[in-house]
Amino acid sequence: FNSVETGLDEEQTEPGEELKGQLHIFARRGRIYVKSGLLEATEVRIVNTAGTVVRVFTIHPGQTIETQTEPGIYIVKAGRTTAKLIVK
């Protein structure tokens, strides 16, 4: 795992299950974008601050997935990497 880009620039990687490649996560115009530069497919989970799962999907190398959301703070988890971002 090389990088996660988020609206808050916060990331946390737990040892043991590092992703190979890059995963870019950002928010723009009420949407969360996840862009994969990873070398393999991985599951991505988006959760709001109430703990409700907003979306779960598998992202493949070279793929960009966008999810429309309400304004708020979200937690995006891919493998053992967790990122927080603000959607305005």
Side-chain angles (χ1 to χ4, degrees), residues 49-60:
T49 55
T52 303
V53 176
V54 175
R55 183 155 183 214
V56 176
F57 56 88
T58 298
I59 192 163
H60 298 275

Side-chain angles (χ1 to χ4, degrees), residues 69-87:
T69 60
E70 296 294 322
I73 299 172
Y74 293 87
I75 298 158
V76 181
K77 185 170 174 80
R80 290 183 172 236
T81 299
T82 304
K84 298 175 194 171
L85 66 150
I86 296 173
V87 176

Side-chain angles (χ1 to χ4, degrees), residues 10-81:
E10 291 185 26
E11 66 178 77
Q12 178 181 0
T13 302
E14 298 173 16
E17 190 181 318
E18 294 186 5
L19 300 174
K20 295 177 180 155
Q22 295 182 339
L23 189 66
H24 302 282
I25 302 167
F26 57 96
R28 186 176 296 146
R29 294 185 215 122
R31 292 183 169 94
I32 294 173
Y33 293 86
V34 182
K35 182 177 180 181
S36 176
L38 298 174
L39 301 178
E40 57 189 44
T42 191
E43 182 180 276
V44 177
R45 180 177 299 265
I46 301 172
V47 180
N48 65 20
T49 55
T52 303
V53 176
V54 175
R55 183 155 183 214
V56 176
F57 56 88
T58 298
I59 192 163
H60 298 275
Q63 189 175 26
T64 300
I65 295 178
E66 68 178 78
T67 301
Q68 177 119 13
T69 60
E70 296 294 322
I73 299 172
Y74 293 87
I75 298 158
V76 181
K77 185 170 174 80
R80 290 183 172 236
T81 299

